Amino acid sequence: MPVHNSEIASIFDHVADLLEVQDANRFRVRAYRNAAATIRDQSRAIADRVEEGEDLSDLPDIGEDLAGKIAEIVRTGELPLLEDLSGEVPEAIVEATRIPGIGPKRARALFEALGLASLDELAEAAEAGRVADVDGFGDKTQARIRDALEEKDTGERRFRLDVAEDFAEPLVKWIRRIDGVDKAEIAGSYRRRKETVGDLDILAAGEDGGAIIDRFVDHDEVEEVISQGKTRSTVRLRSGLNVDLRVIPKASWGAAMHYFTGSRAHNIAGRRRAQDRDLKLNEYGLFDGETRVAGDTEEEVYDRIGLPWIAPVLREDRGEITAAEKGELPALVKLDDLKGDLHCHSDASDGKNTLREMAEAAQERGYDYLAITDHSKRQTQAGGLSEGDLDAQIESIAALNERFDGFRLLAGCEVDILEDGTLDFSDDLLDRLDLVVASVHSHFDLDEEDQTERILRAMENAHVHVIGHTTGRQIGQRKGIALDMERIVKSAADQGCALELNANPIRLDLSDVHCRMAADHGVKIALSTDAHSTGGLGNIRYGMDQARRGWLSADDILNTRGWSALSALLARR
DNA sequence: GCCGTTTTCGGCCCGACTGTTTTCAGTCG
């Protein structure tokens, strides 16, 4: 089994963790972390590149040494350096660094001073009051350790974007009404529209930071004030969501938005560019010595470091800076480009609304078409249609279309991909449909080889236009099925089969990296909601954000085409 | 350990807040 990129990245991250506890050169630690990030963001399998004899040191942050180590991992599945380090540093110390406020230095100091060997022993020591006896530690840190270990709070919890929105939007509106606040916006991964966010970063412009923050920490939903200064505060809401509020002067707005939108890696790259130009970039502005030369707007900041404005969704240090430099940033797809939705359900299967209601909702959104893709017969629990039911639905759709002007319901189906990769309906029946989406809804536990073959076989059926929610993952709830995505994408390209980007915020499947991989291979993406009600069509914006994070342009998306162009494309299968 | 308009050495992003100590290292974002 080839080694996955994520496995190589994890090994490097683990090495970095262990080196950090050993108090190794911090730039060496950073080198391992940077390399891990680079590897994680590659859309192609690193293992394949090694097999093909490619020079990995061409990749950013991978030099001769790390290229050699990657080759070794690909060959043997192991890295001797990691084995050595693991023998020298107790894993429990690394685990202890996940306690908020405890980093590598303090974790190691504690374990050495108290002769600890496990987190359980650390919990006992905190309970017995021995932590506060260690030099440099006091009662507060001891209480923090005790509480964190009691709650098993590793600080790792992430919130789905749509869930975070429910808390974030009312909160930022409330902050805007605080006296002295000129404006306030949410920055961070929320603004970059990541599928999950770890915390909310809210930026407010105002002069009297102390007073604004006093009001902020007084908000009803604040459960705990983690830190509170004159310009910055961190609180935990009752929901468990952490919120950072940062107050800056109005003149620094653009620089601060840039800074707090991140990502961290994108910021570091930006500050390096500033340095190269003998400037200094921080959240207050871009400075030439003591003089601020930019900072009002993000555009101005980018401009002065020689770049066009870069959309927040691209700010992940995945090549956007080089692309911006060369004037090769993608023309990102936008909501207005969409002409329809290619996956939704009616009350004929497990949807809530009738065909007519779904059609009217789609017209209200300004769409030219909507594909009705109810479940096939295998999906009994979801009211899957029998052959006869689908037959009747095709007729109903044809009758409805008679009444529409400039709009069309597409007769479709979300047909089940069975365990062996065959489909739940006959080719003859599928042949009568405008659009066929084929999806996996069962046997999630097959191994990677079988699962991949299963999808490949489904794609070989020329009646299949789109593979629905390809990995089947549900964010925070269910891992996706084991798939060799590169084989899937290559085959999709060969077959002319599209892959779906499912806009449901629980799915967002494909991921951003997979979107980009697909586009790089020329595979078209169906950007669809999988709506089960008229309201569900509104989820399209989450899928749009994900598509943009995947660098997709309108041409990469199937349903930016009008019906005649789309039907011509579909007929080519 | 990586990188290079100062290219094989000597740099490596920047600032706020906390806890513990009394001037700052560590941690975090």
Side-chain angles (χ1 to χ4, degrees):
Chain A
M1 189 61 63
V3 182
H4 289 285
N5 290 359
S6 61
E7 293 170 300
I8 303 171
S10 294
I11 288 174
F12 282 175
D13 269 333
H14 200 177
V15 167
D17 286 342
L18 293 167
L19 283 174
E20 212 168 22
V21 170
Q22 281 197 332
D23 204 15
N25 179 316
R26 63 202 169 102
F27 299 109
R28 186 176 170 216
V29 173
R30 187 185 299 169
Y32 278 97
R33 292 210 193 285
N34 289 344
T38 294
I39 292 162
R40 208 166 262 125
D41 286 341
Q42 294 302 307
S43 58
R44 281 191 58 203
I46 295 273
D48 288 354
R49 297 198 190 184
V50 172
E51 299 298 330
E52 288 161 23
E54 269 186 53
D55 183 6
L56 295 179
S57 64
D58 287 346
L59 292 172
D61 298 322
I62 308 283
E64 208 175 313
D65 181 86
L66 290 181
K69 289 191 166 77
I70 292 170
E72 187 155 23
I73 294 169
V74 169
R75 256 200 333 272
T76 67
E78 287 171 3
L79 181 64
L81 170 64
L82 179 59
E83 315 298 318
D84 293 348
L85 287 170
S86 293
E88 294 164 17
V89 180
E91 192 60 32
I93 299 186
V94 174
E95 287 166 13
T97 62
R98 307 213 169 99
I99 299 169
I102 302 297
K105 293 213 168 51
R106 288 159 68 74
R108 181 173 164 208
L110 261 187
F111 271 69
E112 284 181 354
L114 295 171
L116 306 174
S118 69
L119 281 190
D120 284 342
E121 287 184 19
L122 174 58
E124 281 170 32
E127 203 61 51
R130 284 185 286 135
V131 166
D133 293 340
V134 178
D135 261 0
F137 289 82
D139 289 337
K140 287 193 173 173
T141 307
Q142 177 165 274
R144 224 171 171 182
I145 291 173
R146 207 180 45 219
D147 293 349
L149 292 177
E150 234 168 53
E151 292 172 30
K152 301 235 179 317
D153 172 18
T154 51
E156 286 292 293
R157 188 169 174 207
R158 295 189 68 85
F159 287 73
R160 266 194 350 244
L161 187 56
D162 59 315
V163 176
E165 268 187 9
D166 287 343
F167 297 106
E169 295 301 329
L171 180 58
V172 73
K173 276 188 188 129
W174 182 85
I175 289 171
R176 286 187 189 122
R177 291 200 301 268
I178 294 178
D179 273 348
V181 171
D182 280 322
K183 52 178 163 180
E185 294 291 346
I186 309 168
S189 50
Y190 186 92
R191 184 169 178 234
R192 302 199 311 278
R193 307 310 284 166
K194 275 192 77 167
E195 57 198 30
T196 62
V197 300
D199 59 13
L200 286 179
D201 297 293
I202 302 183
L203 189 64
E207 295 308 319
D208 188 353
I212 291 167
I213 280 170
D214 282 346
R215 287 276 290 128
F216 168 66
V217 299
D218 214 24
H219 186 275
D220 278 354
E221 285 182 40
V222 170
E223 184 170 82
E224 186 191 349
V225 178
I226 295 168
S227 77
Q228 178 179 5
K230 288 198 183 319
T231 70
R232 161 177 226 150
S233 170
T234 303
V235 301
R236 180 157 64 245
L237 304 183
R238 281 204 309 275
S239 57
L241 186 62
N242 278 14
V243 182
D244 280 0
L245 177 67
R246 183 67 195 264
V247 185
I248 45 89
K250 208 172 176 181
S252 297
W253 181 257
M257 273 304 268
H258 175 258
Y259 182 79
F260 287 101
T261 297
S263 65
R264 186 187 303 214
H266 178 89
N267 284 351
I268 289 173
R271 287 197 287 273
R272 267 203 209 110
R273 284 184 74 86
Q275 265 186 341
D276 290 346
R277 289 162 173 70
D278 287 326
L279 302 170
K280 186 178 70 170
L281 178 59
N282 60 29
E283 59 265 56
Y284 296 110
L286 186 65
F287 294 89
D288 184 353
E290 297 292 305
T291 315
R292 172 161 44 209
V293 295
D296 277 359
T297 66
E298 284 191 333
E299 284 81 353
E300 196 178 86
V301 171
Y302 279 110
D303 186 53
R304 288 300 299 256
I305 56 173
L307 297 173
W309 183 80
I310 298 174
V313 287
L314 298 180
R315 299 183 195 172
E316 300 289 349
D317 195 25
R318 293 176 183 164
E320 73 278 8
I321 292 181
T322 311
E325 223 168 23
K326 296 184 186 161
E328 290 172 359
L329 284 173
L332 295 177
V333 61
K334 43 191 197 310
L335 278 175
D336 281 352
D337 295 327
L338 292 180
K339 300 286 196 292
D341 194 322
L342 296 177
H343 183 169
C344 79
H345 298 268
S346 77
D347 60 359
S349 65
D350 58 347
K352 300 273 185 290
N353 295 95
T354 62
L355 293 178
R356 172 185 280 277
E357 287 164 347
M358 293 302 287
E360 285 168 354
Q363 290 174 76
E364 276 166 28
R365 300 191 65 84
Y367 289 160
D368 296 347
Y369 50 82
L370 173 71
I372 300 291
T373 53
D374 277 315
H375 289 289
S376 57
K377 62 186 174 189
R378 171 67 70 95
Q379 287 302 303
T380 47
Q381 82 292 346
L385 274 54
S386 68
E387 282 89 349
D389 294 336
L390 182 54
D391 225 34
Q393 191 179 63
I394 294 172
E395 302 297 323
S396 311
I397 286 173
L400 271 172
N401 277 335
E402 296 286 316
R403 309 187 192 183
F404 296 138
D405 186 22
F407 176 84
R408 185 182 174 99
L409 270 187
L410 309 185
C413 176
E414 181 181 17
V415 62
D416 258 47
I417 300 175
L418 305 179
E419 186 177 2
D420 61 357
T422 59
L423 303 179
D424 198 15
F425 279 145
S426 71
D427 287 354
D428 285 346
L429 181 54
L430 297 181
D431 198 38
R432 299 186 51 210
L433 298 168
D434 293 317
L435 181 84
V436 175
V437 177
S439 305
V440 164
H441 290 116
S442 63
H443 300 96
F444 295 114
D445 53 358
L446 301 183
D447 67 29
E448 183 177 310
E449 180 63 23
D450 289 348
Q451 205 71 273
T452 303
E453 287 295 335
R454 179 187 186 188
I455 306 273
L456 294 183
R457 183 163 181 201
M459 285 196 295
E460 281 164 16
N461 185 322
H463 294 91
V464 173
H465 299 112
V466 180
I467 298 296
H469 47 68
T470 309
T471 77
R473 64 108 175 238
Q474 293 186 356
I475 296 171
Q477 295 169 32
R478 185 171 79 198
K479 267 188 66 142
I481 56 177
L483 283 180
D484 182 337
M485 278 303 287
E486 203 159 342
R487 278 180 72 197
I488 303 276
V489 164
K490 281 180 179 157
S491 175
D494 291 344
Q495 304 277 347
C497 184
L499 298 179
E500 176 180 88
L501 166 48
N502 190 295
N504 186 322
I506 298 170
R507 294 189 181 271
L508 292 177
D509 176 13
L510 309 174
S511 70
D512 50 2
V513 171
H514 288 155
C515 283
R516 199 166 169 193
M517 186 200 292
D520 284 348
H521 284 81
V523 173
K524 296 293 182 231
I525 302 293
L527 177 48
S528 310
T529 55
D530 197 356
H532 284 68
S533 65
T534 51
L537 294 173
N539 281 337
I540 195 69
R541 62 194 181 86
Y542 295 107
M544 182 56 75
D545 288 331
Q546 181 89 327
R548 291 162 58 86
R549 286 183 56 82
W551 291 51
L552 301 187
S553 62
D555 186 57
D556 298 319
I557 310 264
L558 216 47
N559 40 317
T560 53
R561 290 159 177 77
W563 171 238
S564 59
L566 176 60
S567 59
L569 251 183
L570 295 177
R572 241 189 267 157
R573 277 231 68 187

